[in-house]
Amino acid sequence: MAIKRIGILTAGGDAPGLNAAIRGLGKAAIADYGWRLIGFRDGMRGLAENRFTELDAASLSGILTTGGTLLGTSRDKVHRMVVDGETRDMIPTIVENYAKDELDALVCLGGGGTAKNARRLMDAGLNILHLPKTIDNDIVETDTSFGFATALEIATEAVDRLHSTAHSHHRIILTEIMGHRAGWLALGAGIAGGADVILLPEIPYDVGAIAEKIERRRSHGSAFSVVAVAEGALNQTDAQELAHARALVKDASSSDLKALAKKNVKTLEASHRANTFTLAEQLEAATGLEARVSILGYVQRGGTPNAADRLLATRLGVAGANAIAEGTFGVMVGDRGNGTELVPLKNVAGKIKFVPRDHEWIRAARAVGTALGD
């Protein structure tokens, strides 16, 4: 098949390196292969509404170092998109737009949700390619995803800076770091920043065990502690309750029961949004030390991508253009070792790369005396 025109979009949360990836794929597509490139505005919604802009060499110039995404993004689901107040399956409309725009391939940049949308479009017959983006580093079948390295530096610097305040005021400072289901970011920043305690979604914590670690530090002359907390970290009781609720979703025998079970999961997740503040109160009561909370939030996703993310995004973008030229579709371009690997989307969509309890980073944290709350 002779490739003439391809589309590209960015979906899900913004992350450092998106523009670098657009640039990498776009420059290779235009300069090396002579293709035309269009960028859809605001993720899957722009694709459904057929809002796009032509991307040429001039529009791709100067974006390597900029954060965010020049195309805009959204978290819409292609099969359940709210249009004019109604939830609609927009896949047929997207298929029509793909043909109307005379596309030969569509490249989707995003995380886990984007991978699921990409697979739905692949199953509808479109030539799809996925590039892995997320600061959470939770996409399977890739060593890392662009956005992670920059977010890791930002979170690490925050942990570094909080040490001086914690030390000066003899306080416990809890730093909430992004990571709803997987704790890679909190774990990496906690180790690199020298946090005394690291709490992850994968290892439910016991408040007593954390307090004991803090008291042990105080008995050795350190009247302060820094705790790196992934936003999805839960105590053991709450983790069991949420795990049971998620199991009910999988075991639901009808669509109505599944919808009810999903609603219950969302309710439970919402009830835990203030967990870091609750934990701060519990630790203050248990130790007698003042406890303060610092929420890093979206600052982790913003700003200039670092060198590692620029390099990774460029590599994956160029590899994506090469894959299209070879006629390979329905895949994600994964980062593997010193190269790239094309992974079937069916092996990626709907899966999460959790931190294994025996991972080298976990072992290293424990070896240097960092507590993990268990």
Side-chain angles (χ1 to χ4, degrees), residues 1 3 5-8 98 103-107 127-128 324 329:
M1 178 182 72
I3 303 294
R5 195 182 201 204
I6 64 175
I8 190 169
Y98 182 95
L103 295 181
D104 298 305
L106 175 67
V107 183
N127 291 333
I128 299 293
I324 293 172
F329 305 108

Side-chain angles (χ1 to χ4, degrees), residues 3 6 54 76 79 92 108 184 221 311 321 345 356 372 374:
I3 303 294
I6 64 175
E54 294 278 348
D76 293 287
H79 65 308
C108 303
W184 294 103
L311 177 58
L345 263 175
L372 297 171
D374 53 349

Side-chain angles (χ1 to χ4, degrees), residues 134-220:
T134 172
I135 70 169
D136 290 337
N137 196 37
D138 61 354
I139 302 176
V140 299
E141 303 294 338
T142 184
D143 292 347
T144 189
S145 51
F146 54 89
F148 176 68
T150 303
L152 183 60
E153 281 194 7
I154 294 169
T156 299
E157 182 178 358
V159 175
D160 287 347
R161 290 177 178 272
L162 290 169
H163 269 283
S164 59
T165 297
H167 180 271
S168 298
H169 292 273
H170 311 302
R171 286 174 177 163
I172 304 167
I173 292 189
L174 297 90
T175 311
E176 186 177 283
I177 297 169
M178 282 186 170
H180 180 59
R181 297 288 298 275
W184 294 103
L185 191 55
L187 178 59
I191 294 172
D196 306 299
V197 181
I198 301 173
L199 304 178
L200 311 175
E202 293 89 346
I203 303 178
Y205 61 80
D206 176 75
V207 177
I210 302 170
E212 182 181 343
K213 166 66 175 179
I214 293 170
E215 291 288 12
R216 192 161 57 248
R217 281 178 48 77
R218 182 156 59 173
S219 70
H220 287 88

Side-chain angles (χ1 to χ4, degrees), residues 96-117:
E96 289 178 8
N97 290 340
Y98 182 95
K100 184 190 304 181
D101 297 335
E102 299 181 330
L103 295 181
D104 298 305
L106 175 67
V107 183
C108 303
L109 280 61
T114 303
K116 288 191 283 188
N117 277 327

